[in-house]
Amino acid sequence: MGEYASSDAAAALARAQELGSTVREGGKWYVRYQVIYGLAAGLLVLAIGLLEPPYGVAAGVGIWCATMAGLSVYEMRQSVARLGFGRRRNAMIGAWGLLHGAVLVPGLIWFQGVAAWWMVGAAVVALPGLIGGYLEARR
């Protein structure tokens, strides 16, 4: 009886290791997701801040909507997500929203056309996605 239990335990351990490897490999898509999200967030801010109204808003929102639609389809097609994926994604989006507002509101009120504000702001708004992608790649 001990021989069967030992082989069952070894098989279960091998299966667990195989599944862990599958999740690690299959979860790499989220690095790309976050980096693309961060870059699109930065482009949105640059377009709104540096292009003449209403073209900047139209271009920025167009790029943003196309990117979000593409990322949504990409996310839905993935077969694996790591434990805590939803929590990390929601934290990234929450941080992006706060930073986006913190750059956009003063920028539209006091810094219209000031390239330095919008370039630094775009980099700041891109940080949640870029840092998230970096941290996910290290997992």
Side-chain angles (χ1 to χ4, degrees), residues 4-113:
Y4 293 116
S6 177
S7 67
D8 287 346
L13 181 59
R15 180 69 177 143
Q17 289 173 337
E18 178 185 331
L19 288 173
S21 176
T22 300
V23 169
R24 269 190 303 284
E25 288 301 311
K28 289 183 179 179
W29 67 270
Y30 191 47
V31 173
R32 290 183 290 277
Y33 177 98
Q34 290 184 99
V35 169
I36 291 168
Y37 187 100
L39 293 174
L43 281 175
L44 171 63
V45 169
L46 284 177
I48 290 172
L50 296 180
L51 299 177
E52 290 293 318
Y55 305 112
V57 172
V61 170
I63 290 168
W64 183 252
C65 288
T67 303
M68 292 306 103
L71 285 176
S72 295
V73 170
Y74 180 60
E75 177 182 352
M76 300 277 290
R77 298 190 65 186
Q78 303 308 312
S79 60
V80 174
R82 290 183 195 220
L83 185 63
F85 161 76
R87 184 175 24 89
R88 288 190 306 275
R89 183 189 59 200
N90 292 342
M92 176 190 69
I93 292 170
W96 165 79
L98 291 172
L99 292 172
H100 185 74
V103 168
L104 215 59
V105 170
L108 292 173
I109 294 171
W110 297 298
F111 299 106
Q112 289 185 351

Side-chain angles (χ1 to χ4, degrees), residues 107-132:
L108 292 173
I109 294 171
W110 297 298
F111 299 106
Q112 289 185 351
V114 179
W117 173 266
W118 296 104
M119 289 173 24
V120 170
V124 167
V125 169
L127 284 176
L130 299 178
I131 291 171

